Amino acid sequence: MLPPESATLESVSAEFGVSIPTLERWRSQALAETGAWTRNCPARLEAVIHTATLDEQASNAWCRGHSGFPQDLERWRTQAMNSFNDDATETVSREKARADCKRIKALKRDLKHGQKALAETAALLALSKELSASFREGGDE
């Protein structure tokens, strides 16, 4: 009666010999106690897909038959659409992260080369100062 099997009330009634009103009451109680319909993601998706082509009146009737609310269906439809958008955003984010990592590596490499060049220039400057100082002191030598 509930997802994932979602057997019809008639088939369950015939199989187990329990009346349909009793099965409806049991299903309503189970849904009310556990909130299975509102917590079960596959059941939510199934409900959204099943009611997607129905008009408002038929959708409301379906909700009444399955102990649900039209507001829940609309919220789940929105969540499903947003989850599809999240997947596309996640793919773009991964690609952007890879590009950022490559850019960071290139910048670190450039920084390391720049630091080496700066250290070399500083050493050459220090040596040239020492050399010029030694020539000034010695003068005639």
Side-chain angles (χ1 to χ4, degrees):
M1 293 185 329
L2 296 174
E5 293 85 16
S6 298
T8 63
L9 292 174
E10 292 79 16
S11 65
V12 174
S13 175
E15 184 178 344
F16 294 104
V18 178
S19 69
I20 291 177
T22 301
L23 290 174
E24 287 174 340
R25 188 178 72 248
W26 288 350
R27 180 178 60 184
S28 296
Q29 287 172 347
L31 290 172
E33 289 173 8
T34 64
W37 204 67
T38 59
R39 288 189 210 137
N40 189 345
C41 288
R44 289 178 179 185
L45 184 58
E46 181 182 329
V48 168
I49 291 170
H50 184 77
T51 58
T53 58
L54 301 178
D55 62 354
E56 185 177 352
Q57 188 176 15
S59 178
N60 290 343
W62 189 91
C63 287
R64 281 192 303 276
H66 290 83
S67 302
F69 296 99
Q71 307 89 308
D72 291 335
L73 281 175
E74 189 56 41
R75 184 169 35 92
W76 297 338
R77 183 176 294 117
T78 303
Q79 288 173 347
M81 294 305 292
N82 289 341
S83 71
F84 291 126
N85 293 336
D86 290 345
D87 290 342
T89 304
E90 185 176 323
T91 303
V92 170
S93 295
R94 277 192 236 141
E95 291 172 0
K96 187 177 183 318
R98 284 188 195 124
D100 289 345
C101 283
K102 287 181 180 179
R103 178 75 176 139
I104 288 169
K105 284 181 183 179
L107 290 171
K108 283 182 178 180
R109 189 174 48 246
D110 291 345
L111 179 63
K112 193 179 290 185
H113 290 300
Q115 287 174 339
K116 285 181 182 179
L118 183 61
E120 184 180 344
T121 304
L124 288 173
L125 182 62
L127 286 173
S128 68
K129 284 183 180 181
E130 283 181 28
L131 186 61
S132 66
S134 67
F135 278 122
R136 279 190 223 138
E137 290 174 3
D140 294 330
E141 298 175 10

